[in-house]
Amino acid sequence: MDAGVPTTPSSDNGPRKFFVAGVEVEFPIKPYKCQISTMNMVIRGLRHMTNTLIESPTGSGKTLSLICSSLAWQKAEFARLKEILEKEAIENAAAQPEETERQQMQTERDRARKTEEQKEEQMLQRRRENDQGRAVVYYDDSDEDMEDFQMRPKKIFKMMKDTKNSANALSTSSDCMNTHTCDTAYNIGQGQKQNSSPSSPSFKNGICQSPYSTPHKEESATQMDVTADVSAPSETVTKDAICISKQDGCMETEEGTSAKPQYVLTARVPKIFYCSRTHQQIQQVVRELRKTVYKDVKMTILSSREHTCIQTPGSGHTFRSKTEMCCALLDPVEGRGCMYKNGRMSSHTALEYYKMESPWDLEDLVQAGRTIKSCPYFASRDLITTADIVFCPYIYLIDPKIRNTMNLQLRGAVILLDEAHNIEDCCRDAGSYSVLYDDIFQAMKDCKRVAGMEILPEIHNRLAWFLSSLMKWMSQTIQLTEHYETETERMESSTFGGADAVASFEEHGIDLESIIEFKRCAVDAVTETNSGENMLHTKESFERHGVLQATTFVLEGLSLVLGFMYDNDMEHIWDYYVVVCKNSVVSSTSRNDMPNDWPNARGRSMLIVEEDDTPSNWGHYLNFLCMNPGVVFRPIADVVRSIVLTSGTLAPLVTFNSELGTTFANELQALHIIDENQLWVGALGSGPGGRELQASYRLTDMSDFRQELGSTILQVCKVIPYGVLCFLPSYRLLESLRQQ
C-alpha cells in the first residue's frame, strides 16, 4: 500500500508517525485524508523521479503536507544512501586483508630483486675499477678480432643469467649484449659514464630496458593512494552538504591517521527548492515548518536587496533603490565598499555560533545582520551551498537571468512550486525581453570603448556591429508603426510574428550565423570583464577594464531571448512576437535593478524622427514577447529530479501538460477537509440598507456603495463565529474600505 494509516498517538491531537509510499513521515497533528493523499502523491513523485500536479483547496493543510512529505523523503533518501555507502565501505574493509597480504608479497619480491641488483652493480663496479689501470686496446673490423672481442661480454651475460632470479632480465638478450659491448669498450678506453638516449634501449642495474617499457613499481604511484573521491577537500565534505565521508564513522589511530587506506565516499541528497509567489507566503511556510520535527533542517531564504539590505545611504547620495545603492557601493571604480559585506554569516556553523536557530524568517536574518554587522543579502546567497532546503519566490528559479545571477544549480534538485496558479504567466514574462533603443545605443558605444582599449578588440567590435545593425533595423521599422489609442494610453507600434521577424532581420544582415556569433562574443565579453585580472586593473587604474554592468544586462538579455528563438532549429520561432513601439519610459522593477551608469539611458530617443508634441519621457522599445510558457519551463523540467506544482485552483489540470510542455505523471485533485453539509453557497444582491451591491469599477468609487458593503461585512461577522475570510477585487478597494 502506498499510504499507511496513522498509528494511535498518546493524545488525539498529538504528533503522529506513519508510513506514506514507503517513507516514514512525522506529522505534528492528526492528518486529514486530503493531507495523506497529498503526501502520498508527493513522495511517489520524488521516489520515481516524476513530476506531480496537485490541486488542494485553500485551508486544507497543503503547505504542511508539502513540507513534511518532502523533508521526510529527503531524510529517508539520506539514510538509504548512507546505508549503501556503509555497505560498500564494509566490503572494501573485508577485502583489505587479502589486498594487504598481496602487497606484502609484492614488497618482499621487490626487496629481493633490489638486493640482487645491488650485488650485480657492486660486482660490475669492482671489475670497472680493476680495468681502470689497463692500456687502451683497439681492434680492427676483422671477423677474428670481433669474435675475440665479443667473448668477454658473452661470459659476463652468462654469469648474469645464472645469478638473476627475475625473468625480466632475459627478455632482450641481443640488445643487452650489443649495449653492454659498446658501453664496456667505451668505459675501458675513457673511464666515463654513457647516458643512453631516449630513443634507444638503456642499460640500468644490469638489466636491459626499452625507453617505452613500463617502469618498475617502485617508480610509479600505486593505486591504493587514490581515493574514491579526491575532488572535494575533507572540510567541505560535511553534514552541511548532506554527504557521507570518512568523518562519518571511519576509525582513526591516536596519531590522527587511519589504520587502513581511507575511502572518501560522497553521495549528495537532492536539494529541495520550496517556492511560493511572494515573501509573505514564504513567511507562512516558515511558520508551518516550526511546527514540525524537521525544523532543525539547514535552510536559507532568498530575497532581493529591498528586503534584506541593512546599509543606509550616506549624506549627499540619493538612490532610487537599495539595489542601485549596493551596486554603486561595490563598484570597482567609484564604489567605496560596504562594511557589512564581510561574510560573518555565510555558513550555518556561523549562524549556530551567533545563536540563530533554524527555522528563521527574513526578519530574523535582518535583525541578526544588524546585530552582527553583516550583510543578510549575501549571507542568504552563501548559505545555498550547504542548505538542505531553499525558500524563495518562484520567479528566482523561473527567470533565467535571476537564476544565473543567484548562481542556482538546479540539476538533480527537487522543486516545490506552491500557489503556482499563475506559473504560466510567470514563465511567459521570463521568456520575454524589452530593451530601450537608447540602451542599445549606449551598449554599442561601450563595446567600441572597450575595443579601443585593446581588450578583445575583435570580440567587442563584432558586438558593436551587431548592436548597430539592430538599431538600423529599428530605425527603419519605426517608420512603419501604426497608431493605437485607448482611454488610458496612446501608443505607436509595429508587430512581427516570429517567422516574419526572422525574415526582416535577415534583410539587415542579422541571420542565424551572426546571432550565434553574437551569443558567443557576448559570453566572451562578460567573462573577460569579470575576470580577476580585469578587476584588478580596474581598481588600480580607476578606469573600467571591460563593459559596463548595464551593457552586460543588454548583452545577456538579447542573448537569452534570441537563443530561445533561434536554438534547436528555431523550434520556438512561432512562439514569439517582435514588437517595435514608441511608449513612455516607465521605471519598472527590472530597470530599477540596473545601475545608473548611463547618463542618457532614460533620456530622449536617438532616432531621427519628428516629435513635435511627443513628451520627453517617451522612448522606442524593442519587445520580444513569448507566447508559450513551455519555452522557459521545459528546460528546467529536463534537468531537475522532480517538480511538484500545487495550488488551490489549477483545474482543468490537463492544460498544464500542454501549456508548460512537461509531462506530469502524477495528478491529484484533493477533496476539501469539510463535508458537504458544512458548505452553503449564496449571493447577496443588496445590503442591510437595501442598496444594490454591484461592484463595478464605476460604483466602487462611490461612498454609498462602500458604506453598504462595509455594513454587510459587519453583519456577516456578527452571525458567523471563528472568523471570516473576505476577498476583494483590488487592493485599491481594500484600502478605501479601511479608510471609510
Side-chain angles (χ1 to χ4, degrees):
M1 295 179 62
D2 283 335
V5 180
T7 59
T8 303
S10 57
S11 62
D12 189 53
N13 294 324
R16 306 293 178 102
K17 285 186 180 182
F18 48 91
F19 282 89
V20 178
V23 174
E24 185 181 47
V25 180
E26 297 186 53
F27 212 68
I29 57 175
K30 180 181 178 180
Y32 296 107
K33 291 182 179 179
C34 62
Q35 289 178 312
I36 295 179
S37 300
T38 299
M39 290 187 287
N40 175 55
M41 197 61 67
V42 170
I43 295 176
R44 285 177 57 185
L46 299 185
R47 290 185 61 185
H48 300 296
M49 295 189 294
T50 54
N51 300 324
T52 304
L53 201 60
I54 300 176
E55 182 186 56
S56 183
T58 302
S60 58
K62 174 177 74 277
T63 299
L64 191 61
S65 302
L66 290 175
I67 291 176
C68 291
S69 58
S70 59
L71 291 178
W73 171 84
Q74 189 183 62
K75 181 179 178 180
E77 185 71 4
F78 175 81
R80 184 183 71 85
L81 292 176
K82 184 176 181 180
E83 181 180 357
I84 293 174
L85 295 179
E86 286 179 346
K87 184 178 179 180
E88 293 179 358
I90 293 174
E91 293 175 355
N92 292 333
Q96 288 304 314
E98 181 180 350
E99 180 68 19
T100 303
E101 183 179 356
R102 188 188 67 80
Q103 289 185 355
Q104 291 177 351
M105 294 176 61
Q106 182 66 34
T107 302
E108 292 295 332
R109 287 195 296 267
D110 293 342
R111 187 182 295 111
R113 186 191 62 198
K114 194 171 184 179
T115 301
E116 293 297 330
E117 291 175 355
Q118 290 176 352
K119 290 181 180 179
E120 294 170 8
E121 180 68 23
Q122 292 174 0
M123 181 184 64
L124 293 176
Q125 183 65 26
R126 286 196 300 270
R127 291 183 177 177
R128 292 190 184 99
E129 292 175 355
N130 294 335
D131 292 339
Q132 284 182 357
R134 299 184 181 182
V136 179
V137 180
Y138 296 96
Y139 297 90
D140 57 20
D141 293 337
S142 62
D143 294 339
E144 182 180 358
D145 291 335
M146 290 301 297
E147 182 179 357
D148 182 66
F149 178 74
Q150 293 178 2
M151 288 297 294
R152 183 169 176 263
K154 287 181 179 179
K155 294 179 181 180
I156 294 176
F157 185 80
K158 185 176 184 303
M159 180 170 55
M160 291 169 52
K161 179 180 178 181
D162 294 336
T163 57
K164 291 185 64 64
N165 296 323
S166 175
N168 293 333
L170 303 177
S171 58
T172 53
S173 58
S174 60
D175 290 340
C176 283
M177 284 191 296
N178 295 335
T179 305
H180 181 68
T181 300
C182 300
D183 186 56
T184 305
Y186 189 84
N187 281 322
I188 291 176
Q190 302 295 335
Q192 299 177 1
K193 294 182 180 180
Q194 179 179 356
N195 296 324
S196 59
S197 65
S199 60
S200 61
S202 60
F203 189 86
K204 180 179 180 181
N205 296 335
I207 301 176
C208 180
Q209 296 177 328
S210 169
Y212 308 106
S213 62
T214 304
H216 293 293
K217 293 184 178 181
E218 64 266 21
E219 300 172 6
S220 60
T222 60
Q223 294 297 325
M224 293 304 296
D225 294 334
V226 182
T227 60
D229 184 6
V230 296
S231 60
S234 59
E235 296 86 351
T236 60
V237 187
T238 62
K239 294 182 180 179
D240 281 352
I242 324 178
C243 293
I244 301 172
S245 65
K246 67 180 182 180
Q247 289 90 338
D248 294 323
C250 292
M251 301 299 294
E252 295 190 355
T253 61
E254 294 179 355
E255 291 78 12
T257 59
S258 176
K260 297 179 180 180
Q262 296 294 323
Y263 292 87
V264 181
L265 304 175
T266 62
R268 291 187 178 273
V269 176
K271 193 185 299 294
I272 297 175
F273 288 88
Y274 194 110
C275 308
S276 192
R277 191 169 60 90
T278 63
H279 288 290
Q280 288 76 14
Q281 292 170 341
I282 292 176
Q283 290 178 354
Q284 298 175 7
V285 176
V286 174
R287 285 197 295 267
E288 294 295 317
L289 179 59
R290 290 195 178 107
K291 303 175 183 178
T292 70
V293 298
Y294 309 104
K295 60 183 179 180
D296 295 330
V297 65
K298 290 182 172 59
M299 56 159 290
T300 187
I301 302 176
L302 302 182
S303 64
S304 65
R305 293 176 175 89
E306 305 303 321
H307 292 88
T308 52
C309 180
I310 59 177
Q311 180 64 270
T312 56
S315 58
H317 294 279
T318 57
F319 300 101
R320 293 170 300 153
S321 64
K322 290 186 177 181
T323 299
E324 182 179 349
M325 178 182 64
C326 181
C327 294
L329 292 176
L330 301 180
D331 186 89
V333 177
E334 300 178 357
R336 57 181 177 85
C338 179
M339 60 175 290
Y340 298 110
K341 194 175 184 299
N342 47 38
R344 295 176 184 173
M345 300 193 305
S346 59
S347 69
H348 288 90
T349 304
L351 294 182
E352 293 177 0
Y353 175 79
Y354 290 115
K355 309 300 182 183
M356 188 173 177
E357 298 180 354
S358 179
W360 39 265
D361 56 22
L362 280 181
E363 285 74 12
D364 299 329
L365 184 65
V366 171
Q367 183 60 38
R370 296 184 188 278
T371 304
I372 304 170
K373 298 189 182 303
S374 183
C375 178
Y377 172 75
F378 286 103
S380 63
R381 293 177 57 175
D382 294 337
L383 293 172
I384 297 175
T385 305
T386 56
D388 300 337
I389 183 169
V390 178
F391 298 97
C392 63
Y394 49 69
I395 187 63
Y396 282 50
L397 301 188
I398 298 301
D399 194 320
K401 298 183 290 295
I402 301 178
R403 188 169 67 243
N404 294 335
T405 301
M406 290 287 184
N407 195 24
L408 299 179
Q409 305 298 326
L410 301 184
R411 183 170 297 277
V414 171
I415 298 180
L416 307 180
L417 298 175
D418 196 6
E419 301 297 336
H421 44 272
N422 63 342
I423 190 68
E424 295 163 302
D425 293 336
C426 182
C427 290
R428 279 188 282 263
D429 291 341
S432 302
Y433 179 66
S434 178
V435 59
L436 190 62
Y437 179 93
D438 290 343
D439 292 351
I440 302 177
F441 176 77
Q442 296 291 345
M444 180 195 67
K445 290 176 55 179
D446 192 35
C447 290
K448 290 183 177 180
R449 175 188 64 82
V450 179
M453 299 175 66
E454 296 300 324
I455 301 175
L456 299 181
E458 183 178 358
I459 296 295
H460 290 92
N461 282 327
R462 289 179 180 177
L463 291 175
W465 172 86
F466 183 89
L467 296 175
S468 176
S469 300
L470 193 60
M471 288 191 299
K472 291 179 181 178
W473 177 83
M474 287 184 64
S475 299
Q476 294 188 12
T477 304
I478 202 67
Q479 308 300 329
L480 306 176
T481 58
E482 299 179 2
H483 296 267
Y484 298 92
E485 188 171 351
T486 63
E487 295 180 357
T488 58
E489 64 177 352
R490 180 168 59 92
M491 182 176 61
E492 301 176 4
S493 66
S494 181
T495 304
F496 298 85
D500 296 334
V502 170
S504 182
F505 285 156
E506 290 181 352
E507 294 177 358
H508 291 77
I510 306 175
D511 53 8
L512 177 61
E513 183 178 355
S514 63
I515 287 177
I516 294 176
E517 185 71 10
F518 167 75
K519 292 173 58 180
R520 183 187 65 81
C521 292
V523 172
D524 293 341
V526 175
T527 303
E528 182 67 16
T529 298
N530 297 329
S531 65
E533 182 179 359
N534 269 352
M535 296 294 290
L536 182 61
H537 290 165
T538 297
K539 293 179 180 179
E540 291 178 349
S541 62
F542 294 98
E543 182 181 9
R544 193 178 302 275
H545 284 63
V547 296
L548 300 173
Q549 188 173 5
T551 302
T552 300
F553 290 158
V554 172
L555 297 179
E556 291 178 343
L558 289 174
S559 298
L560 176 68
V561 71
L562 292 175
F564 283 144
M565 291 180 60
Y566 282 83
D567 287 352
N568 300 324
D569 297 328
M570 300 186 185
E571 177 184 6
H572 298 295
I573 193 63
W574 298 104
D575 298 324
Y576 272 88
Y577 280 93
V578 180
V579 180
V580 177
C581 66
K582 182 168 62 175
N583 205 346
S584 59
V585 180
V586 295
S587 299
S588 62
T589 303
S590 60
R591 295 188 61 80
N592 282 339
D593 289 340
M594 297 174 60
N596 190 20
D597 49 10
W598 287 351
N600 225 356
R602 292 162 184 81
R604 194 176 178 86
S605 172
M606 294 289 184
L607 287 172
I608 307 302
V609 294
E610 296 182 1
E611 296 179 339
D612 296 336
D613 57 349
T614 302
S616 60
N617 64 335
W618 277 45
H620 296 82
Y621 284 91
L622 173 60
N623 303 283
F624 296 88
L625 306 180
C626 178
M627 300 288 108
N628 180 9
V631 174
V632 173
F633 193 85
R634 191 174 66 182
I636 299 176
D638 290 341
V639 300
V640 301
R641 177 188 179 96
S642 181
I643 294 179
V644 180
L645 196 151
T646 70
S647 181
T649 54
L650 291 180
L653 301 184
V654 66
T655 61
F656 280 85
N657 289 278
S658 58
E659 286 286 330
L660 298 179
T662 305
T663 301
F664 291 90
N666 313 299
E667 295 183 358
L668 172 66
Q669 286 184 285
L671 300 177
H672 208 288
I673 61 176
I674 62 174
D675 296 329
E676 293 182 359
N677 58 7
Q678 296 177 282
L679 179 66
W680 175 83
V681 178
L684 296 177
S686 60
R691 295 186 180 90
E692 184 181 7
L693 295 176
Q694 184 178 356
S696 64
Y697 182 82
R698 180 176 58 85
L699 294 178
T700 53
D701 290 335
M702 299 178 63
S703 60
D704 292 343
F705 169 81
R706 298 176 184 177
Q707 185 67 34
E708 191 71 12
L709 180 60
S711 300
T712 303
I713 296 175
L714 179 61
Q715 293 298 323
V716 170
C717 293
K718 289 180 179 180
V719 299
I720 297 180
Y722 310 118
V724 171
L725 181 61
C726 181
F727 295 94
L728 295 171
S730 66
Y731 284 104
R732 184 181 63 85
L733 180 58
L734 174 63
E735 291 299 324
S736 63
L737 290 176
R738 291 177 58 183
Q739 297 174 5
Q740 187 71 18

